[in-house]
Structure formats: structure tokens, C-alpha cells
Amino acid sequence: MARSLYEWLWQHEFWLPPGITWEDMQESEDTHYPQPRDLLLSIPFALILVVIRCAFERAIALPLSAKLGVRDKQRPKAQPNPVLETFYSTRRKNPEEGELLSLAKQCDLPVRKVEKWFRRRRNMDRPSLSKKFSEACWRFIFYIISFFTGLAVLYDKPWFWDHRECWTGYPQQPLQPSLFWYYMLELSFYWSLVFTLPFDVKRKDFKEQIVHHAATIFLISFSYCANYIRIGTLVMVIHDASDCFLEPTKIFNYMKWKKTCDSLFMIFSAVFLISRLVIYPYTVLYNTYYYSMEIFQPFFGYYFVNVLLIILQLLHIFWSCLIIHMVYKFILQGTMEKDMRSDTEESDKDEERDKIREKDKNGITYFSNVTSNGYIQRNGSEPLNNRAHLANGHAKER
């Protein structure tokens, strides 16, 4: 059964153009082609990257965040409650109205206090600012290394300047050691992102991130097995170009360097929109769809790789819409809107509302600017000792 599945999966009709078989891809002492088994090396390399990341964040990023003035927000903690904690851990983190009523009865608490407990408990699980800073630092370091590695590897390659060269001699294009290690670096990194997804900062586009990582891993793996190495290297270096500006934008945002953050975001937006909506479609999509057919007739691998590339382009369009919206807000308001991808904090406004509700008694609102001796202050001015004070709920002239 397993052997039959293996033979079906590796039919040359799936992976190679018409007229080419696996016998034509035999290696020699001087000629090496990509081998599917090589991809297994990316798993231990990914685990090594995870270890390096943990060491980097603890030894470098966290101390750096403290020196740069990145302070974690002090959030109110939820009081220990076994019943609510069990529900939170085993059922859901945001209970519905009926469940809130049931939990309130079990704990003999008002529904509002149960709501507050869940809100504070959710905020306890939210990542700290120092964690976000450390994560952004790690990605920034990697994207810088990866981008300049890609440029160094591709600078002297003919297909970097003439995109038709991506298909010259395909699929019998020998694998160069520099291209192999560049592929392993990128593939290992995306595997490491998959391994750390449960622990990384979850943003609003979490599902899109999963699709992006999966499509990227499939694309890199398939392009390696089918020897789409040349087009794959172009895809990777184009993606890394804009990411080099995104991560420092986040870093300066966490440091509260607003003007620097806004300037970097505008640069990132320009690079992202140009690279993903202009360069990528022409250099990659048009190249793969049109130029490749000058060399061979379409086959399964041709259609499959184009589908993966189009999925990436759809994700580019999704993120471009978010970026354009943020740039539009910035132009109108003169200030950068909070990252729409980031997780939202629940405590601030809700805590203020709760404090106001607690001061509402018998229909009379006791504002915080009422002084202890009953005199009224307005906007921090001196007490109105000679005008009025509260007596039995009425203003009385002195």
C-alpha cells in the first residue's frame, strides 16, 4: 500500500515537463539536482533556530527592551476562583450570556463581577510589550540576514537580471551549494514559525498567517522538488525586502518613538506595495505563467505552483488593503492608527466604566473631583468655599 502510494506520488508526469523522466535527472559527480530527501534537513535546522531564538530573546532582546525604556503594562489580576478558572481553561475564554448567569449563580457573584473576572483573566494571557519587542527584534535580525544573503547569492546569477533565464535548460538545472543553503535557511525559518505559533503574539490576521506559512512551506518544498529553484529564490528575496522595514517599525512603536515609527511605516508601505503588487506579479506570476510556456507545455506541476503563487498574491492584496487604510488614516489625521493586526486590550475603557458604575449609588453620581469636605472643584481649580457645597443633594449658598 505504502509502496503504491509512493510510486503514484512520484510519477514524473506530476513533477516534470512532458518528455522528461526521472532517468533524465540522474546525478553525476559534477552535477547535482535537488533531492526531496534534502527537505528533511529543514526540521532539525528549524529546531536549532528555535533554540537560537530563545537564547537571543532572553540574553539580548529582553535586556535591550529594558534599556530602551520598553515597559510592560500593569494589568489588574483576576482573583483566584476555581470554578471560573476551570471554565476558562476547559470551555471557553469568552462565555456567552447564559453561561455568565450560570457561573454567577455557582459562585454567588453578580454577573458584572463575573464579566470583569473573565476580562481580567483574558488580559493576563495577553503578551507583554517586552515579549512583542523581543519577537520583533528576532524577526528583524533574521529578515536582514536573509535579505542580504539572498542578494549576495543572486547578484551574479543571470536570472536575477533576465527573468527568462529562470527557464533556460529547465528542469535540468544543477543545484549550486549557495542556492541549497539559501533554501534551507528560508524553509527552516518558516518551519520554526510554525513550531512557535502557539507561543507567538496572536494578531487579528492569525488565520491568514497560518495560510501564509502553509502556502510558503508548500511552495518552497514543491519548488525545490520540482527544481523551480530559480523562481523560488526570486519569491523569497522579494518577500524579505519589505519585512526588513516592518519589524523595526514595530520596535520603534513599542519604544514610543512615534515620529520614527511613522516614518518607517510609510517607507515600509511604499516598499510593500511596490514589491508585492508590482514587482511580484511581473517578476514571478507573469514569469511563471507566460515565460515558462516558451520552454515547455503546461503540466500538473506548472498548474500547482501557479495556484500557490496566486494564493500568496491574494494574501498580498489582503494585507495591502489594511496598509492602504492605515496610510489613509495617517494622511487625514496626521498620526498613525494602532496596528489593526494587533491584539486588542480589553481592560482600559471597561475598567473605567466599572469604576464609574461603582460610584453610581441611588441615582447620584459621585465624581472623583468631589473633595472629601463636600466642596466642588472644577478642572482642578481652587475649592469654591464662598459659593456652594452639597447639602442633602442641593446646592446651598453660603
Side-chain angles (χ1 to χ4, degrees), residues 134-204:
S134 301
E135 182 179 309
C137 285
W138 164 251
R139 296 196 184 203
F140 172 63
I141 294 297
F142 176 85
Y143 287 134
I144 284 290
I145 293 174
S146 179
F147 178 65
F148 284 101
T149 298
L151 290 181
V153 168
L154 296 176
Y155 181 77
D156 60 345
K157 303 299 186 292
W159 66 87
F160 187 67
W161 308 103
D162 183 2
H163 305 319
R164 279 187 168 87
E165 289 294 325
C166 288
W167 312 108
T168 301
Y170 180 82
Q172 295 169 311
Q173 298 171 336
L175 176 63
Q176 301 176 20
S178 60
L179 298 178
F180 168 79
W181 288 112
Y182 182 42
Y183 249 73
M184 286 298 107
L185 177 66
E186 292 279 354
L187 183 58
S188 301
F189 176 69
Y190 281 102
W191 271 121
S192 72
L193 292 183
V194 171
F195 295 157
T196 58
L197 266 178
F199 314 103
D200 287 344
V201 176
K202 290 182 175 60
R203 304 183 184 276
K204 291 183 179 180

Side-chain angles (χ1 to χ4, degrees), residues 32-49:
H32 299 281
Y33 296 113
Q35 300 296 324
R37 62 176 178 271
D38 297 340
L39 298 177
L40 296 176
L41 291 174
S42 64
I43 303 300
F45 289 161
L47 296 176
I48 292 174
L49 282 179

Side-chain angles (χ1 to χ4, degrees), residues 242-306:
S242 59
D243 291 332
C244 291
F245 293 97
L246 175 61
E247 300 307 326
T249 302
K250 296 179 182 178
I251 291 172
F252 285 110
N253 180 45
Y254 303 144
M255 293 168 56
K256 309 299 183 184
W257 290 26
K258 190 160 186 57
K259 291 185 178 180
T260 305
C261 172
D262 292 349
S263 300
L264 278 174
F265 183 82
M266 297 303 291
I267 297 173
F268 158 75
S269 301
V271 174
F272 185 96
L273 296 175
I274 292 173
S275 63
R276 306 292 180 95
L277 300 184
V278 179
I279 297 177
Y280 178 86
Y282 173 72
T283 304
V284 176
L285 291 181
Y286 185 77
N287 186 10
T288 307
Y289 177 78
Y290 182 74
Y291 289 156
S292 62
M293 289 194 294
E294 296 178 354
I295 306 299
F296 55 81
Q297 294 297 316
F299 63 106
F300 175 81
Y302 164 85
Y303 293 113
F304 188 70
V305 75
N306 274 283

Side-chain angles (χ1 to χ4, degrees), residues 330-362:
F330 175 76
I331 294 174
L332 288 183
Q333 301 175 359
T335 182
M336 189 61 61
E337 187 182 67
K338 184 179 179 181
D339 185 2
M340 291 178 293
R341 297 173 56 238
S342 64
D343 58 334
T344 55
E345 188 75 32
E346 295 181 87
S347 61
D348 296 338
K349 292 183 179 179
D350 291 327
E351 291 292 338
E352 291 175 5
R353 292 194 197 102
D354 287 338
K355 289 179 181 179
I356 292 174
R357 289 192 188 103
E358 290 174 0
K359 295 174 184 177
D360 289 344
K361 299 178 181 178
N362 300 322

Side-chain angles (χ1 to χ4, degrees), residues 9-26:
L9 178 63
W10 293 105
Q11 295 181 71
H12 62 266
E13 291 86 358
F14 290 165
W15 301 88
L16 302 173
I20 304 294
T21 64
W22 291 117
E23 285 72 18
D24 300 318
M25 302 293 294
Q26 294 296 323

